[in-house]
Amino acid sequence: MTMNPDFSVPHIAILGGGPGGYEAASVAASLGARVTIVERSGLGGSAVLTDVVPSKTLIASSDLMTRVEEAAALGIHLGHTDGGLIKHADLRSINERLLGLARQQSQDIRAGLEQLGVRIVDGMGRLAAPHTIEATTGSGAELIDADAVILAVGAHPRELPTARYDGERILNWTQLYELDEIPEHLIVVGSGVTGAEFASAYNGLGAKVTLVSSRDRVLPGSDEDGAELLEKVFARRGVNVLSRSRAAAVERTGDGVAVVLGDGTKVTGSHCLVCVGSIPNTEGIGLEEAGIALSESGHIKVDGVSRTTAINVYAAGDCTGVLALASVAAMQGRIAVAHFLGDRVMPLNLNHVASNIFTSPEIASVGVAEADVASGKVAGDIVTLRLKSNARAKMRNTTDGFVKIIARKGTGTVIGAVVMGSNASELIFGLAIAVEQSLHVDDVAATYAVYPSLSGSISEAARRLHVHM
């Protein structure tokens, strides 16, 4: 049965169906608003269709390959020959699976929104006025008027003028899933989170990997202990890290590629993955004409409750340049809805954001960083506990990783943490709660941890921060 819309309730129109858009739509509909969402590629946006879901599914396959490689240390022998362990990653099957999972996740999001009564318009969108979205669909153009608009238009991979993507040998991270075979030698340009994750994943799948880093180490800006340990793991597993080596150009060489470094040196391989950041999808969609201010980088300027410079126009996600995480985009979308509808709202607090780098091992963090303490920006006490002393880690033959907790000096409040190791993305949640709720290290230490478990090291690290009264 088709229901007529109730025009007496507020109407929120959302441009973009990524985490910022679909989370906002879900919350708004649940709070009784009338919601229309315009999406050109599929619900979930790049996070679901070309970025987070596919890449982390690829990484799951890579992690399994790595565990198989290390199975002998646990007394498990799988098809050994004189030449070593027999293992093979079927990249075509891996990519078919991950793309299938991405499509299914997108369909599930769509079904959930439709069940809540959200109207979904499949098409291109732009602002025709501050509160009007012009949607172009297969059946023509439509003007969608609303009481408030949320912009969640995302971003796309940056392309270097000297490294044009061809989708065959020179690739961005959305094009990798078209490959049918593991690259013989993958050169990854860029040692940030995306570059490090794919370098780790393809190394685990059996590719020779060279990582070109313009900085002095991988993961610049991340926890230094974690980055240094990851470099040691990379070296042990055969990843060649070229630090302080700026990629000036990437060229096709027939059946391969050549990466030209700043000093003129050429590094040759079969494929090149370029990970040099993203560009917001804000050009040519009527934002500035609608009075929405953009930064020099093209990102939409927003405040702590996701407002833009236009009244009742909000923005969320990668297009804002706040922090390129799906969780942050979703929070920005939820905050925007709460603010517009007058629900209880707290401004976005980036100091409490938990994030994870899905290398092998993973590196998760939340709150204040050790660098903030070292620079004197924050007064804190730090304890780092290596996982090699953890009983559960020994059982699993886990030798790489640690738990780090940062407590405010004088009060013992947990203000930051880093976890490096298997399932760090899961383990960080308890410490994120501690940071969010301003728990004392004694509160964490007094909480029972399963024995044996990796989380036991969290309790132990907290105990070592206890101050005798």
Side-chain angles (χ1 to χ4, degrees), residues 222-234:
S222 300
D223 180 77
E224 187 172 348
D225 288 339
E228 288 181 355
L229 181 52
L230 182 63
E231 283 201 354
K232 291 179 181 177
V233 173
F234 275 175

Side-chain angles (χ1 to χ4, degrees), residues 56-72:
K56 277 46 177 182
T57 307
L58 176 80
I59 289 167
S61 296
S62 173
D63 285 345
L64 180 57
M65 288 283 286
T66 301
R67 293 200 299 272
V68 168
E69 180 73 22
E70 298 172 349

Side-chain angles (χ1 to χ4, degrees), residues 234-297:
F234 275 175
R236 190 176 74 231
R237 293 177 178 169
V239 176
N240 181 25
V241 178
L242 302 179
S243 59
R244 298 181 181 178
S245 300
R246 185 181 63 85
V250 182
E251 306 169 346
R252 279 292 296 263
T253 60
D255 59 351
V257 296
V259 177
V260 183
L261 304 182
D263 62 2
T265 304
K266 286 190 176 183
V267 182
T268 59
S270 62
H271 298 76
C272 181
L273 170 63
V274 182
C275 302
V276 290
S278 300
I279 295 176
N281 298 324
T282 54
E283 186 176 353
I285 58 172
L287 301 188
E288 293 174 294
E289 294 86 343
I292 297 166
L294 304 178
S295 67
E296 290 184 5
S297 60

Side-chain angles (χ1 to χ4, degrees), residues 13 126-135 142-146 149 290 313:
R126 65 182 309 278
L127 282 187
H131 299 152
T132 303
I133 295 176
E134 180 183 4
E142 174 188 356
L143 293 179
I144 301 169
D145 297 315
V149 168
V313 178

Side-chain angles (χ1 to χ4, degrees), residues 300-319:
I300 300 172
K301 293 183 178 181
V302 292
D303 63 10
V305 290
S306 304
R307 290 179 296 190
T308 70
T309 51
I311 296 175
N312 290 341
V313 178
Y314 300 79
D318 290 0
C319 64

